[in-house]
Amino acid sequence: MTEVDARATVGQAAGRGQVVAWGLWDWGSSAFNAVILTFVFSVYLTDKVGDDLPGGISASAWLGWALGIAGLIVAVTAPISGQRFDATAKRKRSLAVLTALTILAMALMFFVHDDYHDLWIGLVLLGIGSAFFELANVPYNAMLRQVSTPATVGRVSGFGWAMGYFGGILLLLICYFGFISGDGDSRGLLGVPTDDGLNIRLVAMLAAVWFAAFSLPVLFAVPELPSTGADPGAAKAGFFGSYRVLWRDLRELWSVDRRTVRFLVASAIFRDGLAGVFTFGAVLAVRVYGIADSDVLLFGIAANVVAALGAIVAGRFDDRVGPKIVIVASLAAMLVCGLALVIVSGPLMFWIFGLLLTVFVGPAQASARSFLTRLAPPGREGQMFGLYTTTGRAVSFLAPSLFGLFVWIFDADRAGIAGLLVVLALGLAALLMVPGPDRAPQPERIPSGE
């Protein structure tokens, strides 16, 4: 295979149609995050399938352990997976295979009946799907440099995040009104029977079809990564040899440009804080601010909308002033809004300051991705985003632990907000010590050609 200069891969697929195709994968992948992992299938496993599980261990505990094992597998394999995707010039093929395996796991969830004997197959499928989904994000994020130029990487990253938010919102609404809403033996506008969990099992199948449909455009529109030789020896290294190559590359990276390593650490911290905002937001809304249970979904939809709009708007600032300024401003604004939430009370104040806080989540997430894209050596983006995933996993205990610690110390759920703010503040402090990427050139217009 003829090798090309790794720099030639930058912006090789930056046509408008290719950018949209890339963003549609994010739109489709929200089916796993929103429907399967967060709001519907995981709740079905713990509240229905495993509600009469015998023994002293709850279904929720088994769910946590299953996802924990999946996370450990991802943390160990993500860096060398991304490294091999790049070195063997199989980035798109890897995205296709990992996406297909995730979709297969989702489709098989249809066979998880409302019977505690099926809990184990449900947990295995959820764990496998979670691992494949996170690994699929490695080559997907690495493609960002292919579908953007140095002048447009910020707005393209923001567009992708926004597509994910909007796709999740739309699918959740379809699932809720079509299959879940209402009472009795039949649910939703479609009147789907609830017997044996049929309505939820059909939701899992719908989510699989949704992901499959919207994952196809990027596989046709964006070309495969050409062989670049940017990481000598990586293509021929075996499983354990890949770790030796990874260690060599990390030592080289530390000696040449330490800011990449420092950014990986800083971003892992503040990204965990961002995740904590959504993880504990619903709990706080009900228990602290008196939001009605029926209104939590409405707040979740509104929060995702404003986060998506924030990501789109901030993407343009990212390209003009650089991603570091966007992230710093977003984290600082979140700290201010979070402090206000510690003080205020009542549903109205939560709606105001809660939405103000979440509007900055999207920009921080999108600009973190563009920050690393700008720093990654050309041809080694997969390896860098594999490390991005691993470092995120390594500190994923911070937000939940500090949230619980502050609640325990002060004997008040409201105090958990302060725990999340500590994580965000630590991430901000670590980021301030990381030099930003070189100033982005003035934005170019995204080409209209394919």
Side-chain angles (χ1 to χ4, degrees), residues 18-36:
Q18 292 162 321
V19 170
V20 172
W22 178 79
L24 283 174
W25 190 93
D26 237 331
W27 173 284
S29 70
S30 62
F32 185 84
N33 257 337
V35 174
I36 301 298

Side-chain angles (χ1 to χ4, degrees), residues 285 288-291 341 343-352 414:
V288 176
Y289 298 94
I291 298 289
L341 282 171
I343 299 171
V344 301
S345 298
L348 178 61
M349 291 295 100
F350 182 80
W351 273 93
I352 294 173
R414 181 190 296 268

Side-chain angles (χ1 to χ4, degrees), residues 23-311:
L24 283 174
W25 190 93
D26 237 331
W27 173 284
S29 70
S30 62
F32 185 84
N33 257 337
V35 174
I36 301 298
L37 192 59
T38 305
F39 291 110
V40 182
F41 188 77
S42 61
V43 176
Y44 168 66
L45 279 183
T46 56
D47 290 358
K48 299 296 183 182
V49 179
D51 64 340
D52 54 351
L53 181 69
I57 302 176
S58 69
S60 296
W62 285 113
L63 173 65
W65 292 338
L67 294 178
I69 292 172
L72 178 62
I73 293 172
V74 170
V76 171
T77 60
I80 61 168
S81 297
Q83 173 183 286
R84 290 188 64 80
F85 300 159
D86 291 347
T88 58
K90 295 179 180 177
R91 182 182 292 171
K92 185 170 76 169
R93 181 183 300 181
S94 301
L95 176 63
V97 171
L98 291 167
T99 299
L101 291 172
T102 305
I103 292 168
L104 177 60
M106 295 166 67
L108 290 175
M109 291 173 187
F110 174 79
F111 300 101
V112 179
H113 302 272
D114 186 1
D115 184 329
Y116 75 83
H117 293 97
D118 284 4
L119 176 64
W120 314 114
I121 184 62
L123 292 174
V124 169
L125 289 173
L126 192 61
I128 290 174
S130 178
F132 284 138
F133 176 71
E134 289 203 48
L135 289 175
N137 274 276
V138 173
Y140 173 73
N141 287 333
M143 279 184 175
L144 175 58
R145 181 169 263 165
Q146 291 174 260
V147 298
S148 66
T149 68
T152 62
V153 61
R155 78 178 88 162
V156 172
S157 181
F159 169 73
W161 272 107
M163 289 288 280
Y165 282 126
F166 286 133
I169 293 167
L170 179 58
L171 183 57
L172 278 174
L173 289 173
I174 292 172
C175 292
Y176 178 75
F177 289 109
F179 299 85
I180 300 173
S181 64
D183 299 309
D185 295 332
S186 297
R187 300 290 178 87
L189 297 176
L190 299 178
V192 182
T194 60
D195 184 52
D196 210 19
L198 179 61
N199 63 325
I200 304 300
R201 290 158 49 211
L202 286 174
V203 163
M205 184 62 72
L206 173 63
V209 173
W210 179 280
F211 194 0
F214 290 108
S215 66
L216 290 176
V218 68
L219 302 179
F220 288 103
V222 179
E224 181 60 274
L225 176 76
S227 181
T228 65
D231 199 5
K236 297 180 179 179
F239 180 79
F240 293 105
S242 295
Y243 286 99
R244 289 192 291 270
V245 173
L246 176 64
W247 180 244
R248 179 203 69 191
D249 291 345
L250 284 175
R251 286 184 298 172
E252 176 187 325
L253 195 64
W254 181 254
S255 62
V256 174
D257 188 4
R258 297 185 180 184
R259 63 179 171 175
T260 302
V261 179
R262 289 171 175 162
F263 174 72
L264 288 170
V265 174
S267 70
I269 298 172
F270 71 70
R271 283 185 291 131
D272 190 49
L274 298 176
V277 169
F278 278 103
T279 300
F280 298 104
V283 175
L284 293 169
V286 174
R287 294 181 60 85
V288 176
Y289 298 94
I291 298 289
D293 291 347
S294 58
D295 291 338
V296 170
L297 179 61
L298 294 177
F299 178 82
I301 291 172
N304 278 274
V305 168
V306 298
L309 295 176

